[in-house]
Amino acid sequence: MKKLSELTYGIVGLGLMGGSIAKSIRQNILCTSESKGKILASTRNAAALELAKKEHVLDDFDTLDTVDELLRQCDFVFVCFYPHMTVDFLAAHKNSFKKDSIVTDINGVKAEIFDRITEIESGNFDFIPGHPMAGGEKEGYSASNAAFFKNHNYIIMPLKSNKADDIEQFKRLITEMGFTQIVETDGRVHDHKIAFTSQLCHVIASALVNSAEDAKVTQFGGGSFEDLTRIAMINAPLWTELFLSNKAELLGHIENFERSLDVLKNLIKSDDAEGTKNYLEEVRVKRIEMARKDMKVEK
Amino acid sequence: MKKLSELTYGIVGLGLMGGSIAKSIRQNILCTSESKGKILASTRNAAALELAKKEHVLDDFDTLDTVDELLRQCDFVFVCFYPHMTVDFLAAHKNSFKKDSIVTDINGVKAEIFDRITEIESGNFDFIPGHPMAGGEKEGYSASNAAFFKNHNYIIMPLKSNKADDIEQFKRLITEMGFTQIVETDGRVHDHKIAFTSQLCHVIASALVNSAEDAKVTQFGGGSFEDLTRIAMINAPLWTELFLSNKAELLGHIENFERSLDVLKNLIKSDDAEGTKNYLEEVRVKRIEMARKDMKVEK
């Protein structure tokens, strides 16, 4: 297996995630003067390229027009586009990837990837679907950060066609980047779980802000509202795509949440102090269990 | 107006809030060897007194049996009980407070205070209802912290009977303690606004945890779920009291939230990309406006 510090990495799309991946590789893997590896990037965003150049994050870069030349040089490619663009890009450029290179995506919903997997799998590279679980209310290359992934989860969804060595290499890379837990699953489980931990939370935060009488209400805030709604400073086009492309799973979780909310609402409405207290006690125990680090290991 | 550093402060109830108030006064107001002021505390929790003694937070302290002796010495008293105990305590001990002392509470719901205000107002002390807007998932004196209030909001609800000098003195004190915005309002507005910024958020966080399939789902988390539900590690008896004592306001906000959630759910259900994007764009603008510091001034 090749040394990570000797590989050429390609980042296609240089936004918050692409930028953070590039910076993280630069800082954690290609950090000494002996590192022979390189980072190349391709993006349509000229301002991001300009800034990345100034910051010495990239060794070479170009606009998307010449992306095929870039792909031919890379041992490891991260495609960091909006979800719908990803499969089209992979399918359109599948003959440009370097032979035996490892290619991954960062899509937050995997249904389309797996529905169209045959269009990608036929290339002579090893495509391993992945999802780095990090985000935030900021967007764009200028908000990207090498430390973005520290102690975060990475979900990978290996295909039957993937080489064991490539999966191992991928895991080594993301561990070096700072991810502390790698969860292996399939696309269907991913989309079901993510609809809960990520998309439902963005729906709730957005609905909560929408329901505020006015923006001045935060002068009565003590931190709870602020914590619940920080993610409502939302990238609207991206999250519209994510919500609609995972609609069935998301609607199921919204309806479960509405039922849970209804139970608590009715306990309060009927002045049921004992019932309310029991509901909250159970929630407290469950949430403390969720925070246990030793529980955070996929069985 | 007397110097804050020469006053005797009384803390009745030494949990998370009482402890943090005591520590904050010690650190910010009675911090030099020349400070002639004192902090006295009274609580039924022997372990908290023991720890506070060790930490040199208090000058004197006792159990609640002899609280009347303590109250007679104090220029400024914070009653830091659970809501229902507060008015009973104030009414029962109203003849024990030092003449012209300033007394305040920290209740998260004010309806009961204002319903029974005549029972308290007849004492020869100046009672100013207040609500320090700080909290968290931790509880008890051992979690208290002098820095707890830094940059937080404090809501005060002065009575017509309050002396202007006493309100001024109260504001000077809480400003020294680190609160950066003091909002003046009445009990009705307080309970309406707090039901949204605080109680509704706790209801939503609790219902979200309740609706989780299992505690292991957090291994698919990227931070959103964790941020939304930290407050669900909830003090169940306290929040049961708060929810039920502000039931009408809280139910109104829950129903508004449910309507907002329904609108977004239906946009997603009907695959309305344009409508979803517009909803999220509006939310984004509103939430960014809420975070503006220069907006955070009560008109």
Side-chain angles (χ1 to χ4, degrees):
Chain A
M1 216 176 288
K2 285 187 205 160
K3 275 192 183 174
L4 292 174
S5 61
E6 295 178 357
L7 298 182
T8 295
Y9 298 90
I11 316 290
V12 183
L14 204 62
L16 176 69
M17 296 302 285
S20 297
I21 290 168
K23 288 179 182 176
S24 174
I25 292 174
R26 173 65 64 205
Q27 191 163 305
N28 294 297
I29 292 144
L30 307 183
C31 44
T32 69
S33 53
E34 291 109 68
S35 309
K36 291 175 198 155
K38 281 183 184 177
I39 306 175
L40 316 180
S42 189
T43 180
R44 58 182 169 187
N45 183 342
L49 278 183
E50 196 59 41
L51 187 54
K53 203 156 95 178
K54 251 194 217 160
E55 295 179 340
H56 305 288
V57 171
L58 306 175
D59 293 285
D60 205 357
F61 36 84
D62 212 335
T63 60
L64 284 175
D65 307 335
T66 52
V67 70
D68 295 295
E69 288 169 35
L70 179 142
L71 297 177
R72 275 190 274 278
Q73 304 171 55
C74 296
D75 303 295
F76 212 121
V77 177
F78 284 88
V79 178
C80 304
F81 281 150
Y82 274 31
H84 287 332
M85 287 173 67
T86 302
V87 192
D88 286 344
F89 179 86
L90 288 166
H93 298 272
K94 68 177 178 179
N95 295 322
S96 302
F97 290 97
K98 185 174 171 181
K99 185 169 181 301
D100 297 329
S101 60
I102 301 172
V103 178
T104 189
D105 71 309
I106 61 158
N107 278 17
V109 174
K110 295 300 181 195
E112 192 183 356
I113 297 267
F114 282 91
D115 286 349
R116 296 175 58 190
I117 199 72
T118 52
E119 296 179 50
I120 311 161
E121 267 191 318
S122 56
N124 61 1
F125 56 94
D126 212 10
F127 176 65
I128 308 174
H131 185 190
M133 294 303 301
E137 72 277 11
K138 291 175 181 165
E139 56 195 75
Y141 176 81
S142 60
S144 68
N145 189 332
F148 202 53
F149 306 127
K150 225 168 167 62
N151 298 321
H152 277 253
N153 301 330
Y154 209 116
I155 307 172
I156 62 172
M157 288 139 277
L159 309 177
K160 280 187 190 139
S161 57
N162 289 145
K163 292 176 202 153
D165 271 6
D166 287 347
I167 296 173
E168 198 49 40
Q169 184 78 311
F170 192 2
K171 287 183 183 176
R172 281 174 55 208
L173 174 64
I174 57 187
T175 302
E176 292 290 320
M177 285 166 71
F179 289 94
T180 40
Q181 186 181 233
I182 301 169
V183 178
E184 275 187 63
T185 187
D186 61 34
R188 197 193 50 78
V189 171
H190 170 274
D191 286 0
H192 177 70
K193 298 288 188 182
I194 290 305
F196 180 79
T197 59
S198 175
Q199 290 146 20
L200 174 63
C201 292
H202 284 76
V203 162
I204 288 173
S206 300
L208 180 52
V209 169
N210 179 276
S211 83
E213 291 167 342
D214 56 61
K216 285 200 300 177
V217 74
T218 41
Q219 57 196 334
F220 290 88
S224 303
F225 177 81
E226 291 78 355
D227 284 349
L228 260 77
T229 59
R230 203 159 286 117
I231 55 171
M233 289 186 257
I234 199 164
N235 178 335
L238 172 63
W239 285 92
T240 297
E241 250 194 55
L242 292 170
F243 292 167
L244 297 186
S245 63
N246 205 18
K247 187 175 122 168
E249 292 294 348
L250 177 55
L251 290 174
H253 287 301
I254 292 176
E255 277 156 20
N256 281 342
F257 167 73
E258 286 177 324
R259 273 190 289 274
S260 288
L261 180 59
D262 241 34
V263 171
L264 183 50
K265 182 177 78 171
N266 288 328
L267 288 168
I268 295 168
K269 198 179 254 178
S270 58
D271 268 320
D272 186 345
E274 198 56 27
T276 305
K277 194 160 70 68
N278 290 342
Y279 184 108
L280 298 180
E281 293 281 13
E282 274 173 37
V283 159
R284 175 192 169 86
V285 169
K286 192 170 177 184
R287 182 58 181 80
I288 289 170
E289 173 76 7
M290 285 170 162
R292 276 179 54 203
K293 285 289 166 199
D294 56 353
M295 188 271 307
K296 293 190 79 189
V297 178
E298 178 74 322
K299 298 280 152 57
Chain B
M1 219 176 287
K2 283 187 205 161
K3 275 190 183 174
L4 291 173
S5 62
E6 295 178 357
L7 298 182
T8 296
Y9 298 90
I11 316 290
V12 184
L14 204 63
L16 177 68
M17 295 303 284
S20 296
I21 290 169
K23 288 178 181 176
S24 175
I25 293 174
R26 173 64 65 205
Q27 191 164 305
N28 294 298
I29 292 143
L30 308 182
C31 45
T32 70
S33 52
E34 291 111 66
S35 309
K36 291 175 198 153
K38 282 184 185 175
I39 307 175
L40 316 179
S42 190
T43 180
R44 57 183 169 187
N45 184 342
L49 279 183
E50 197 60 40
L51 187 53
K53 204 155 95 176
K54 249 193 222 162
E55 296 179 337
H56 305 288
V57 170
L58 306 175
D59 294 285
D60 205 356
F61 37 82
D62 212 336
T63 61
L64 283 175
D65 307 334
T66 53
V67 70
D68 296 294
E69 287 168 35
L70 179 143
L71 296 177
R72 274 189 274 277
Q73 304 170 56
C74 296
D75 303 297
F76 212 119
V77 177
F78 284 87
V79 178
C80 304
F81 282 150
Y82 274 32
H84 287 331
M85 287 174 67
T86 303
V87 192
D88 286 344
F89 179 86
L90 287 166
H93 298 273
K94 69 176 176 178
N95 295 321
S96 302
F97 291 96
K98 185 176 173 181
K99 187 170 181 298
D100 297 330
S101 60
I102 300 172
V103 178
T104 190
D105 71 309
I106 61 157
N107 277 18
V109 175
K110 296 299 183 194
E112 193 185 356
I113 298 268
F114 282 90
D115 287 349
R116 296 175 60 189
I117 199 72
T118 52
E119 295 179 51
I120 310 162
E121 266 192 317
S122 56
N124 61 2
F125 57 94
D126 213 11
F127 176 65
I128 308 174
H131 186 189
M133 294 304 301
E137 72 279 10
K138 290 176 182 164
E139 55 195 75
Y141 176 82
S142 60
S144 67
N145 189 332
F148 202 53
F149 305 127
K150 225 168 165 63
N151 297 323
H152 276 254
N153 301 330
Y154 208 116
I155 307 172
I156 62 171
M157 289 138 276
L159 309 176
K160 280 186 190 141
S161 58
N162 289 145
K163 291 175 202 153
D165 271 7
D166 288 346
I167 297 173
E168 197 49 39
Q169 183 77 311
F170 191 3
K171 288 183 182 173
R172 280 175 55 208
L173 174 64
I174 56 187
T175 302
E176 291 291 320
M177 285 166 70
F179 289 94
T180 38
Q181 184 180 235
I182 301 169
V183 177
E184 275 186 63
T185 187
D186 61 34
R188 198 193 50 77
V189 170
H190 170 275
D191 286 0
H192 176 71
K193 299 286 189 182
I194 291 304
F196 180 79
T197 60
S198 175
Q199 291 146 20
L200 174 63
C201 292
H202 283 76
V203 163
I204 289 172
S206 299
L208 180 52
V209 169
N210 180 275
S211 82
E213 289 167 342
D214 56 61
K216 286 197 300 176
V217 74
T218 41
Q219 57 196 334
F220 291 88
S224 303
F225 177 81
E226 291 77 357
D227 284 349
L228 259 76
T229 59
R230 204 159 285 117
I231 56 171
M233 290 185 254
I234 198 164
N235 177 335
L238 172 63
W239 285 92
T240 298
E241 250 194 54
L242 292 169
F243 291 167
L244 297 186
S245 62
N246 204 19
K247 187 175 121 167
E249 292 294 348
L250 177 55
L251 289 173
H253 287 302
I254 293 175
E255 279 156 17
N256 281 342
F257 167 73
E258 287 176 325
R259 274 190 288 274
S260 287
L261 180 59
D262 241 36
V263 172
L264 183 50
K265 183 177 76 171
N266 288 328
L267 288 168
I268 295 168
K269 198 179 257 177
S270 58
D271 268 320
D272 185 346
E274 197 57 26
T276 303
K277 195 160 70 70
N278 290 341
Y279 184 107
L280 297 180
E281 293 280 14
E282 274 172 37
V283 159
R284 175 192 168 85
V285 169
K286 193 170 175 183
R287 182 58 181 81
I288 289 171
E289 172 77 7
M290 285 170 162
R292 275 180 55 202
K293 285 290 167 200
D294 55 353
M295 189 271 307
K296 293 190 79 191
V297 178
E298 178 72 322
K299 298 281 155 53

